[in-house]
Amino acid sequence: MADFPFAYLVGVDGGGTSCRARICDLFGNILGEAKTGSANILLGSEIAMASIQQAIALAAQQAQLTTADYPNMAVGLALAGAEQQQAWHAFMQQPHPYGAITLNTDAYGACLGAWAGKDGAILISGTGSCGILLLDGQQHVVGGREFPISDQGSGAIMGLRLIQQVLLSVDGIVPSTELAQHVLTHFNNDIDTIVSWSKTARPCDYGQFSPAIFTFATQNDSLAVSLLQQTAADIEMWMQALILRGASSICLMGGIGERIQAWLTPPMQQRIAIPQGDAMDGAIVMARGNHNLFVR
């Protein structure tokens, strides 16, 4: 560590819903941690950078550090949307006060964290979804092409399907359920409100209904059960794709991934491994070296 030019390691996990930052010393001791809003760079590099800087500032405050310490920080950024090359370059052109930054996807950071920097596979299923296998120096990615064209097995896609089914129930095409009524009540039973909301709704706005889906499924609500079965099938699709690429065990991560396991078939449940760390742990690993997804 003597030749490492910075005094602090900062790991940032930025997804569609939230941005978490963790500051450590060079021995891995956690000095501060904080959480702010979305840091998906596809929503805008300036917006993402603002969330990141706010999270780091709050974590620095906890660590009793000031802006004078920022040049001594090496920052590893595990961010949603970083797989899109144009967005990656746009973000990396943003000014920042830190000593160094390295940028890769949130899935890459989560995989590094889950397997303590070693080879392994993860399927991250939260607001969005993405599978990644790190094997023999190669990065194999499945999915993760963002909502609404990808992200199967995510909270956002599950929420989108829920809204679609609710509207079908209003038209009398499918039966209404308590979950459907719950959603209609959320929108004051006004279909025009749902339509207007959908024009600007972000992945996290659709994903907000995920907890209700899990809750109503425990009450055997047919719509909730159907949605979770479909989400489980999507997750198994991604898991199978990773297995075909060489994965033996897979860590399921993210708010949906952690809750969906009971809905998977027994053979896939046997493939599940327990993560050793999270995306911020992976981002801390990234901060120690050059883990950039693309060349600047």
Side-chain angles (χ1 to χ4, degrees):
M1 285 187 288
D3 57 350
F4 192 73
F6 306 105
Y8 305 102
L9 301 168
V10 182
V12 176
D13 170 27
T17 303
S18 64
C19 173
R20 301 181 301 157
R22 176 182 295 161
I23 300 176
C24 296
D25 62 21
L26 298 187
F27 298 98
N29 299 308
I30 298 174
L31 306 177
E33 232 176 74
K35 181 178 177 179
T36 54
S38 171
N40 183 327
I41 65 175
L42 291 184
L43 299 178
S45 55
E46 292 181 4
I47 294 170
M49 183 62 87
S51 287
I52 289 161
Q53 293 198 15
Q54 184 186 8
I56 292 175
L58 291 171
Q61 194 175 38
Q62 232 184 68
Q64 298 185 323
L65 301 175
T66 69
T67 54
D69 296 298
Y70 286 4
N72 285 319
M73 293 180 178
V75 182
L77 300 169
L79 305 183
E83 69 281 351
Q84 213 285 331
Q85 191 164 349
Q86 187 176 355
W88 186 95
H89 284 287
F91 180 88
M92 292 297 274
Q93 290 168 7
Q94 291 287 310
H96 66 83
Y98 313 111
I101 63 171
T102 183
L103 173 60
N104 211 307
T105 66
D106 53 344
Y108 181 85
C111 198
L112 280 180
W115 295 97
K118 299 180 176 63
D119 283 355
I122 63 123
L123 178 60
I124 185 167
S125 173
T127 304
S129 69
C130 184
I132 183 169
L133 167 66
L134 302 180
L135 183 64
D136 299 328
Q138 297 293 315
Q139 182 179 168
H140 306 271
V141 178
V142 297
R145 295 180 179 90
E146 296 293 325
F147 179 87
I149 61 169
S150 186
D151 280 358
Q152 293 93 331
S154 72
I157 290 291
M158 189 160 58
L160 172 61
R161 289 172 176 159
L162 170 61
I163 297 297
Q164 291 171 338
Q165 291 298 308
V166 168
L167 294 179
L168 289 175
S169 75
V170 169
D171 290 339
I173 296 169
V174 301
S176 182
T177 72
E178 288 187 19
L179 173 58
Q181 289 302 316
H182 170 81
V183 173
L184 287 170
T185 300
H186 177 85
F187 290 104
N188 297 315
N189 292 292
D190 188 338
I191 304 305
D192 285 344
T193 298
I194 296 178
V195 174
S196 297
W197 170 85
S198 73
K199 302 304 180 187
T200 57
R202 300 167 297 166
C204 60
D205 296 322
Y206 284 101
Q208 71 176 308
F209 296 106
S210 298
I213 294 170
F214 279 99
T215 298
F216 279 93
T218 64
Q219 300 165 20
N220 209 29
D221 181 280
S222 59
L223 175 55
V225 168
S226 169
L227 289 167
L228 288 184
Q229 288 173 335
Q230 196 168 9
T231 298
D234 287 342
I235 285 174
E236 292 199 8
M237 171 186 72
W238 296 130
M239 291 178 70
Q240 190 61 46
L242 291 168
I243 291 166
L244 288 172
R245 285 161 174 78
S248 55
S249 298
I250 301 165
C251 295
L252 293 188
M253 306 179 76
I256 304 300
E258 291 165 3
R259 300 186 67 181
I260 201 71
Q261 297 182 23
W263 294 83
L264 302 180
T265 58
M268 283 302 183
Q269 288 184 14
Q270 291 171 13
R271 291 278 191 172
I272 296 171
I274 298 171
Q276 297 175 45
D278 61 14
M280 281 198 291
D281 293 313
I284 292 292
V285 173
M286 289 167 56
R288 289 187 181 273
N290 180 10
H291 289 264
N292 282 322
L293 181 56
F294 302 108
V295 178
R296 296 181 74 171

